[in-house]
Amino acid sequence: MDTSVAPSTGVTITLYREQHSCSLDVLELRNNVPGDDELLWVDLCGASEAEVARVWGALDLGEGSLPTRPIATNPRLEKFANHFMARVVAVLPGANLDFRGAVLTIVAGPNFVLTHHAEDIEFLAEMRAREPETVCDIGCLGEASFVAALLGWHLSTYFSAVGLFEVEIERLESRILSDQPPGRSALPQLCALRGAASRLRRMLAPHRVVFDGLSRPDFVPDGAEDVARHLRDLDDRYERALDVVENARELVVGSFQLFSTQTELQTNERMKLLTFVTVVTGLLAVIAGALGMNFEANFFSLKTEGFWIAVAFMVGLGLASILIGRRRGWL
């Protein structure tokens, strides 16, 4: 059954309270300032520049965090007077491990969180599609804790990408270890896997500036120990994600070594066969050379019969050599 969420674009505004949530429009933003037991989430998915500007104005955000065109793709963390901004890149899986990056900008201030992205991201779409009664606990979260949750889901896109990567690695290694010789047909896939692993690392590694910054003691006010713990846990999760991505590169190296070993084994088998054929052929050549010597022997008086006896003897010797070679595992 297909459980994917249909993509949506535009502005989605949800106000979460402890017991329920409700949807708002842009015009209601100024008149619905969230309280301490509420959390406002504004999601801009492929919104136009005019819609983004209206939301920025309704939330009284400065131009410093306003997305520019074209949207920058480098991860970034910046703190302003009454809000902070984090820009990250989530992974969008594609065919044949063609991983793409989706830029996600998160702006958080007093009791509100804003997410801005040009194309739909799966975990945000699933969040929007949830029933109101299943997300009412979000109203109990502060903006920093909700941002930590969003960034945790963002890191999950890398874990999922590595999971798909490992499946392809297992399929390739099964093909390499099968009875069918892989030959050079595995090399293009190995190159593609190497490129995919390198791309994942290039996408994830620059996020250190974001997660290290969030875990600094001066990022959250004194007394917010729960929030600080969430952000430190998020930094640990980032380190685990980076280790997993690094391990993906090592898996490619291991697969290449397996491919090289199998190729060497197949080469050795061919060399054994060629060596055996050379020995048998050389033995027959010795016999033929002996029969061509210029001396008188009773055997040559047989004439035609002697020729066929010699041919039959050499054929029998070749067949006997093949039989002995198969029994001893030389062939």
Side-chain angles (χ1 to χ4, degrees):
M1 183 177 64
D2 186 9
T3 58
S4 59
V5 180
S8 62
T9 58
V11 182
T12 304
I13 304 173
T14 309
L15 180 63
Y16 297 100
R17 297 186 175 93
E18 291 187 4
Q19 300 298 328
H20 66 282
S21 63
C22 61
S23 299
L24 305 176
D25 57 36
V26 178
L27 298 178
E28 296 176 302
L29 277 180
R30 292 186 180 274
N31 300 326
N32 287 272
V33 179
D36 292 338
D37 58 345
E38 298 175 332
L39 182 66
L40 180 69
W41 178 29
V42 182
D43 183 58
L44 305 177
C45 177
S48 63
E49 294 186 28
E51 290 175 323
V52 172
R54 281 199 299 269
V55 170
W56 242 254
L59 294 175
D60 293 326
L61 300 175
E63 295 183 358
S65 58
L66 185 66
T68 58
R69 299 288 181 175
I71 298 176
T73 59
N74 58 305
R76 176 187 174 192
L77 177 67
E78 190 168 355
K79 197 169 185 179
F80 299 92
N82 60 346
H83 64 280
F84 68 90
M85 184 271 291
R87 182 169 60 228
V88 295
V89 180
V91 180
L92 297 180
N96 299 322
L97 298 182
D98 184 19
F99 298 123
R100 298 184 298 112
V103 178
L104 172 62
T105 302
I106 303 175
V107 181
N111 302 317
F112 80 87
V113 173
L114 181 146
T115 53
H116 177 266
H117 44 107
E119 50 189 324
D120 218 0
I121 301 175
E122 185 176 0
F123 69 84
L124 292 177
E126 291 177 353
M127 189 72 181
R128 291 194 305 267
R130 290 182 184 179
E131 296 296 330
E133 57 270 13
T134 64
V135 292
C136 59
D137 291 340
I138 292 180
C140 302
L141 297 176
E143 65 279 358
S145 296
F146 187 53
V147 169
L150 290 175
L151 292 176
W153 289 324
H154 153 260
L155 289 176
S156 296
T157 63
Y158 286 88
F159 285 109
S160 299
V162 173
L164 296 175
F165 184 88
E166 290 175 346
V167 170
E168 292 300 321
I169 284 286
E170 291 177 358
R171 289 176 179 172
L172 176 61
E173 291 183 349
S174 297
R175 186 160 65 90
I176 292 175
L177 292 172
S178 64
D179 294 333
Q180 180 181 1
R184 292 185 175 270
S185 62
L187 286 177
Q189 191 172 358
L190 281 170
C191 292
L193 290 170
R194 173 68 176 178
S198 298
R199 177 164 177 76
L200 281 178
R201 190 187 185 284
R202 290 196 304 270
M203 291 170 61
L204 182 60
H207 287 83
R208 187 177 299 277
V209 64
V210 175
F211 294 98
D212 284 353
L214 289 171
S215 62
R216 289 199 311 264
D218 61 337
F219 190 82
V220 294
D222 294 338
E225 181 58 31
D226 291 341
V227 176
R229 186 178 67 254
H230 292 163
L231 297 178
R232 287 195 301 268
D233 292 343
L234 184 64
D235 188 43
D236 293 339
R237 183 173 172 82
Y238 165 74
E239 293 295 337
R240 291 196 300 272
L242 194 59
D243 290 340
V244 168
V245 171
E246 289 284 358
N247 183 62
R249 300 176 67 193
E250 294 176 1
L251 288 176
V252 179
V253 175
S255 297
F256 182 76
Q257 292 176 346
L258 178 63
F259 170 76
S260 300
T261 302
Q262 287 296 105
T263 302
E264 291 174 0
L265 289 174
Q266 292 161 12
T267 302
N268 291 338
E269 292 297 323
R270 295 189 183 101
M271 291 302 298
K272 286 169 59 178
L273 176 61
L274 290 175
T275 302
F276 181 81
V277 171
T278 302
V279 171
V280 174
T281 305
L283 180 61
L284 298 180
V286 169
I287 296 174
L291 293 177
M293 293 175 128
N294 295 322
F295 60 85
E296 294 291 335
N298 295 330
F299 174 76
F300 293 104
S301 63
L302 296 176
K303 297 184 179 180
T304 304
E305 292 81 359
F307 170 77
W308 288 114
I309 291 172
V311 170
F313 175 74
M314 288 189 288
V315 171
L317 181 60
L319 294 176
S321 301
I322 293 174
L323 180 61
I324 294 173
R326 286 187 175 275
R327 287 187 175 180
R328 299 204 173 186
W330 298 341
L331 297 178

